[in-house]
């Protein structure tokens, strides 16, 4: 281990994540701009913490790295909770929006690489830089960028492909976290869209609203027990799928198992108390997502980006502008110009530039203030989980061959 590297163990990282989340809450409570533009609390705290780590590195040369096993577990908790809240009626009503969002997302994967390739060529950079600053790191996220980096480094003239990909994904995550809320605020005001009426909590505890549902340790334990049962079954299903050669993120089968349980157990056992759309489940869901985002952002090693400025920053700035234009001019009108379209617009900003959890955080920040949009929380993760990674692999391969 290098002398200038400090590794923070998983438990301490988890604890620091809670502190960072509370810091974000305090800042959001004090700064009207953050509240007005629906900037998620963990984003505020996480970015500030990452800047503190950068300051430590610049002052002392010490690199701080966090172990993140608990963070990844929180992601599984969150998506399983989303599945427990799902109703088949929501999925059926989301059929047309799901198809439209899928088509737009697959189209944007290609468009994102066209932008990356065009700008890279204009700046005199290798084509592979455009792909790395395109769907490989933005829609694909850190995982896809890391997966493709060895091949790009070996075969496409970019020896620092890993650093470029990780840097692009990191900056994209920051942009994704900051753009979703302002986009939603603009659309709500511009089109005079009314808040949604509450129909049970999907994600999050609403701001400035009272709820008479009682919460105690029993209700929280019931939620955790059901989540664990769904996760255990989802884990077993994921292992079975892996044996057939189909590799999926663990949260995908857990999400599906939770959907199946929530749409069967309450009908088979009507006297059983089921935690779907309860305040207790909303609390566990909020806790999981908030800490996941806080821990992801606070662990960013921003100093690794310093040597990759210039062309990469220009590329990402243009990608951000293109994403905003696509949302305002294409996605929002085609999705129906209504409240669902607004929430999905905030989510798509998080998804196209960051990752699915960032999209969910953006949508959560909007729905906490303006009311639930259950269809959005079902169709966006489904698009991200099932279709994007497979399509992205073919698109990346095609653009690298140009």
């Amino acid at each position: 281990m290098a002398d200038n590297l400090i590794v923070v163990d998983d438990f301490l990282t988890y604890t620091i994540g809670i502190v960072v989340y509370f810091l974000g809450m305090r800042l959001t409570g004090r700064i009207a701009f953050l509240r007005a533009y629906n900037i998620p609390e963990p984003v505020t705290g996480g970015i500030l913490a990452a800047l503190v780590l950068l300051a430590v590195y610049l002052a002392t040369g010490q690199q701080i790295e966090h172990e993140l096993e608990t963070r990844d577990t929180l992601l599984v908790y969150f998506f399983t909770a989303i599945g427990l809240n799902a109703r088949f009626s929501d999925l059926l009503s989301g059929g047309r929006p799901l198809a439209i969002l899928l088509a737009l997302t697959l189209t944007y994967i290609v468009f994102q690489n066209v932008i990356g390739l065009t700008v890279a060529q204009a700046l005199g950079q290798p084509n592979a830089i455009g792909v790395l600053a395109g769907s490989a790191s933005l829609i694909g996220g850190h995982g896809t960028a890391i997966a493709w980096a060895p091949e790009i480094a070996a075969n496409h003239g970019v020896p620092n492909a890993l650093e470029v990909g990780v840097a692009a994904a990191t900056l994209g995550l920051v942009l994704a976290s900051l753009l979703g809320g302002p986009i939603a605020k603009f659309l709500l005001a511009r089109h005079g869209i009314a808040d949604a009426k509450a129909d049970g909590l999907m994600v999050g505890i609403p701001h400035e609203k009272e709820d008479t549902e009682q919460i105690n340790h029993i209700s929280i334990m019931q939620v955790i027990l059901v989540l664990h049962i769904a996760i255990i079954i989802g884990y077993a299903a994921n292992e079975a799928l892996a044996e057939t050669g189909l590799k999926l993120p663990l949260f995908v089968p857990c999400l599906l198992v939770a959907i199946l349980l929530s749409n069967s157990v309450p009908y088979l056992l009507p006297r059983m108390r089921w935690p779907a759309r309860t305040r207790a489940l909303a609390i566990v869901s909020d806790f999981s997502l908030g800490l996941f985002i806080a821990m992801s952002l606070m662990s960013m090693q921003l100093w690794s980006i310093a040597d990759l400025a210039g062309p990469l920053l220009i590329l990402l700035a243009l990608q951000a502008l293109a994403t905003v234009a696509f949302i305002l001019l294409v996605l929002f009108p085609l999705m129906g110009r209504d409240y669902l379209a607004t929430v999905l617009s905030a989510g798509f900003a998080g998804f196209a530039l960051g990752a699915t959890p960032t999209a969910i955080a953006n949508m959560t920040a909007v729905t906490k203030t303006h009311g639930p949009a259950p269809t959005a929380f079902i169709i966006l993760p489904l698009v991200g989980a099932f279709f994007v990674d497979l399509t992205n692999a073919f698109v990346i391969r095609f653009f690298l061959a140009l």
Side-chain angles (χ1 to χ4, degrees), residues 128 132 148-162:
L132 279 171
W148 281 93
E151 178 177 337
I152 292 174
N155 303 318
H156 297 278
V158 185
N160 61 340
L162 178 61

Side-chain angles (χ1 to χ4, degrees), residues 67-84:
E67 295 180 347
L68 296 168
E69 289 84 356
T70 298
R71 181 203 66 170
D72 297 337
T73 301
L74 291 169
L75 182 66
V76 176
Y77 271 113
F78 172 72
F79 277 108
T80 306
I82 290 291
L84 289 180

Side-chain angles (χ1 to χ4, degrees), residues 272-288:
M272 178 180 177
R273 295 184 61 184
W274 193 249
R277 304 199 178 199
T278 62
R279 191 174 172 90
L281 181 58
I283 287 176
V284 174
S285 179
D286 243 11
F287 173 84
S288 301

Side-chain angles (χ1 to χ4, degrees), residues 200-238:
L201 295 171
M202 283 294 293
V203 180
I205 302 302
H207 291 315
E208 300 177 358
K209 292 183 180 179
E210 295 296 329
D211 195 320
T212 57
E213 179 188 334
Q214 187 177 21
I215 301 175
N216 52 37
H217 67 288
I218 298 297
S219 61
I220 297 294
M221 289 172 68
Q222 287 173 332
V223 165
I224 293 174
L225 176 59
V226 172
L227 285 173
H228 278 215
I229 291 171
I231 291 170
I232 290 169
I233 298 173
Y235 180 85
N238 200 42

